[in-house]
Amino acid sequence: FKVFFMPIKKASLLAYDAAKAVANRLDFIQEPTKLSETEYRWDSTDPIASSLTTNIITGAFLLDRRWQDDPAYLTPTVYYNEVQAVDRMTNLLSRLDLLPDDIQEGKTTVQNLKAENDQIVSAVSLSQAHFVRVNLYRAPVDNVEVVSPRTDRGLITGVLALQREDDKQFVNLDYNYYPVDPERFASYPLIGIAEAWQRVQKGQAYMASVKANATAVTVRDIALLYYDSETPQQFLQPVYVFRGDPDFTAYVPALADAWVE
């Protein structure tokens, strides 16, 4: 099966300037706090307490706003259907110059959310929602689907408040994207499906989803797909994906052990 090269960004003199430009476009204009050699945090109090934590090398960042400090968030002033919510998300990323083609062409999902005890939880319907979460996924690579660490989240996610004012809309933005070079790949041998299944039974799989308190699962589907990590990886590698009930999804690395360090 093909393994694709993923070029990893290296430190450069322009890395901080690029991160600062993104922060400024998101209205974080104060000087940041240096958390480490690679991580910086910008803070703001307008319109509410907010933070933007960025890895200046990889470009990954997390925007978080303290929506709990403003009771107005509990009264929606606008509702978005799925197309409108995705448009808001992709328009923002386009303005930041952070919408690569393989994300723009990938799958999207939208989830209804509500505020409960100062937490954001699932909502049954949009009529009960205070927020929506937009998930963006990478388009298939070499016609093969790409899966993320969490079955209910994309590598790029945004929580959009149902508020008309632009500066109050995005209360969370989690951006993790690392490019794949479609022209650089090599083929490697895989373990068999039987071996992969044994590893699931031995607890050697990554459990992406499983219903709380489940004592048994029924696997109904097995697929060979690519795995998209939230942290930079040098290669896009295949995994066996086991799906079933209740809400069960597990990943097993598919490459033969002799080829993995």
Side-chain angles (χ1 to χ4, degrees), residues 89 132-136 156-160 170 172-174:
M89 179 79 162
V132 292
R133 177 185 289 117
V134 179
N135 300 291
L136 305 183
I156 304 174
T157 67
V159 176
L160 181 61
F170 281 94
N172 182 275
L173 188 59
D174 195 355

Side-chain angles (χ1 to χ4, degrees), residues 93-240:
L93 294 176
S94 292
R95 293 199 303 271
L96 298 174
D97 197 23
L98 293 175
L99 186 63
D101 290 343
D102 56 350
I103 294 295
Q104 190 169 8
E105 297 166 2
K107 181 182 72 173
T108 63
T109 62
V110 177
Q111 301 159 315
N112 298 316
L113 306 171
K114 64 180 180 179
E116 187 175 281
N117 298 324
D118 282 348
Q119 300 293 321
I120 292 179
V121 300
S122 296
V124 175
S125 65
L126 183 60
S127 63
Q128 297 180 353
H130 305 114
F131 310 91
V132 292
R133 177 185 289 117
V134 179
N135 300 291
L136 305 183
Y137 299 85
R138 192 191 304 271
V141 175
D142 200 36
N143 296 315
V144 176
E145 180 186 346
V146 183
V147 294
S148 301
R150 294 183 54 172
T151 57
D152 63 339
R153 303 279 182 92
L155 280 188
I156 304 174
T157 67
V159 176
L160 181 61
L162 301 180
Q163 298 292 311
R164 194 173 301 277
E165 299 90 337
D166 286 346
D167 60 356
K168 294 179 66 174
Q169 288 182 351
F170 281 94
V171 298
N172 182 275
L173 188 59
D174 195 355
Y175 188 91
N176 298 278
Y177 171 81
Y178 311 105
V180 174
D181 187 340
E183 304 300 326
R184 298 179 64 185
F185 62 86
S187 295
Y188 291 89
L190 307 178
I191 63 173
I193 294 177
E195 172 63 25
W197 174 234
Q198 289 180 4
R199 296 184 185 189
V200 174
Q201 293 175 307
K202 294 176 182 178
Q204 297 174 353
Y206 171 73
M207 299 299 173
S209 173
V210 62
K211 191 170 183 178
N213 302 320
T215 58
V217 299
T218 301
V219 172
R220 302 189 181 279
D221 180 73
I222 305 170
L224 183 60
L225 307 176
Y226 284 115
Y227 177 73
D228 225 342
S229 175
E230 291 180 327
T231 57
Q233 303 292 320
Q234 195 169 358
F235 302 99
L236 185 73
Q237 300 185 40
V239 292
Y240 286 110

Side-chain angles (χ1 to χ4, degrees), residues 16 19-21 23-24 28-33 40-44 50-54 56:
Y16 172 79
K20 185 177 180 180
N24 290 165
F28 290 87
I29 59 176
Q30 304 296 328
E31 287 301 308
T33 299
Y40 286 74
R41 187 187 71 237
W42 281 262
D43 293 298
S44 175
S50 307
S51 66
L52 176 70
T53 304
T54 302
I56 64 171

